[in-house]
Amino acid sequence: MGRSSALAVSLATAAVLAVGGLATSPAADSERGATNAAPAAATRPAASAAGRWVNTWTSMPQLTEPGNMPPAPFTQPGKVLADSTLRQTVHVSTGGSRLRLRFSNAFGGADLPLTAVSVALPAGGRAGTGAVRPGTTRKVTFGGRASTVVPVGAQAVSDPLDLGLRPGSNLTVTLYLADGQASDAITSHPGSRTTSYMTRGNHVDDPDLGGAATTAHWYFLSGVEVLSKPAGAAAVVVGDSLTDGRGSTTDGNDRWPDRLLARLHARPETSGVAVLNQAAGGNRVLNDGLGPNALARFDRDVLAQSGVGWLILFEGVNDIGTADATEAAQRKVAEDLIAAYDQLVVRAHAQGIPVYGATLTPFGGNTGYDDPDGHREAARQSVNQWIRTSGRFDAVLDFDRAVRDPERPRRLREAWDTGDHLHLNPAGYQALADAVPVRLFGPRPSAPDAGLR
C-alpha cells in the first residue's frame, strides 16, 4: 500500500523544520526537542472481539558475562541455580486481567529446565522486594503442566492465567530450578536496575524471601504479555545504556521509557499504549558489544514481540565512541550507521510499523568517547543531521536538542549529567521523555508505506 500524498507532504515539512531546530507541536506541547511528521499507522495483527495479546514488559536477552552471573553459591562450574529459587519483579506498562510469561534460553549453552513458576503481586506494590501480597500467588503452567524445558536458543510461553494487573504496576515472578541449568552460558538482562532474590530450595509460594541473596540482574524472564483491548499496541524502544537506564534509580523505574509511559497514561487517548524497553548497556547498531548488534537482534527484539505498533530507534553513540578517533574511521562509521538505520526502517515498514528516530545525545567531556580533535563529535553531528533531514523516519525526536547545554552544545546540561558526561540522571531522563510528543501514539487510520520510499 502506498503512503498518501498528505503524509508525504507532512514528512517533507517535518524534515525542513528539523533543520531549523523547530518543534512542530502546538504551543510546543511542553515537549522540547521533538520534530514530528504526521504519524503513520501500524498494521494491526488480527484480534478477536475479546482482545489481543500485547507485550506489557520486555527485557533484551543477552549472554551473561562472568561478572554478571548469579552470586556464589548459585554459580558453580558448569551449572547455575541448581536447587534454587529466583524471585524477580518487573514494571509492567499496560494492565489486564489475563497474562502470560515468556522465558528465553536464547544464549544458553544447555536446555533450561523450569521446575515450578509462580506469579504474584509484590508487597506494597513495590519494585525490588522479596515479599509478595498474601492471596495473590498464582501457579504458572505450560500446556497444562507445572514444569517445562526451554531448548537451547528457544523461548517458552506460559499458559494464560488470571491475575488483575494495573497499568504501571509491578509484578513478581518466582522460579524454581531443581536441577539448574547445566552450562556456564545463560541468558539474562544485567541492566535490570531492579533487585532480584535467590535462595536454596523450592520457595516459589513463600510469601517472603527476606533472607535471600540479592543481585541487580534479571535472569531467563524476557517478556510479560496481557490480553489487551483490540486496539491495544506497544511502542518498542531499541537502544543502549541511555535507554536501559544507566544513571537511573535502582528499584525506582525512572528510566526515560518509564517516564514516557507515565505521560502516555495520563491521557485517555494513549492510556492503552505499552512501552517496551529493548535496550542494553554497551549495545551497538553495527557490531556486537554487550549483546548482539541491533541489526542482528531486530527480528527477535522488535518484530517478534506481541502487538507492536511503533518503533523508537535511539542508538549509535557506542558505535561512534568505539570506532577509531580518526577522520576516515569516523566518516565510515557515520555512513555505516545511516545505512543501518535505513535498513531498520525498511524492515519495520515491511511489517507496517512506523519508526521514530531519535538524535544522538552529546558526550563532550567523556573520557572514553570525546576526542580532542572532535572527529567523533563530527560523526555525531553528521548522523544527527541525517536523522533530522532525510525524511526516512515517520517522526524525529530531537533528544540532542532536549538535553544539550545551550552554552556548550557538545555537552549535556550539567544538572542532568551523572558526571561521566554521557549518561543522564533521572531528571535528564525526564527531559528525554518530555521531548516525545505523546500524540504520535494515538489511533491512526492507515498503515505506513511498506518500505517503498
Side-chain angles (χ1 to χ4, degrees), residues 87-91 122-123 125-131 170-172 193-197 214-215 218 250-253:
R87 177 163 290 176
Q88 308 174 103
T89 60
V90 300
H91 187 64
R126 302 188 308 275
T129 178
N170 294 303
L171 175 71
T172 299
R193 274 89 198 176
T194 307
T195 306
S196 298
Y197 296 77
T214 61
T215 187
W218 286 313
T250 298
D251 299 326
N253 291 313

Side-chain angles (χ1 to χ4, degrees), residues 155 394 451:
Q155 69 170 298
D394 299 282

Side-chain angles (χ1 to χ4, degrees), residues 63 103-113 148-156 181-187 220 300:
L63 175 64
F103 297 93
S104 176
N105 194 21
F107 300 98
D111 291 348
L112 172 62
T148 192
V149 175
V150 189
V152 172
Q155 69 170 298
Q181 185 166 16
S183 176
D184 295 316
I186 67 171
T187 304
F220 312 131
R300 183 194 66 216

Side-chain angles (χ1 to χ4, degrees), residues 245 247-259 425-426 429-430:
S248 64
T249 309
T250 298
D251 299 326
N253 291 313
D254 51 15
R255 314 163 190 85
W256 76 261
D258 302 317
R259 296 293 179 87
N425 59 28
Y429 287 134
Q430 182 68 63

Side-chain angles (χ1 to χ4, degrees), residues 118-160:
S118 70
V119 298
L121 300 179
R126 302 188 308 275
T129 178
V132 300
R133 187 189 307 174
T136 64
T137 299
R138 305 284 188 274
K139 293 187 182 298
V140 177
T141 59
F142 303 85
R145 297 178 296 178
S147 62
T148 192
V149 175
V150 189
V152 172
Q155 69 170 298
V157 182
S158 77
D159 298 331

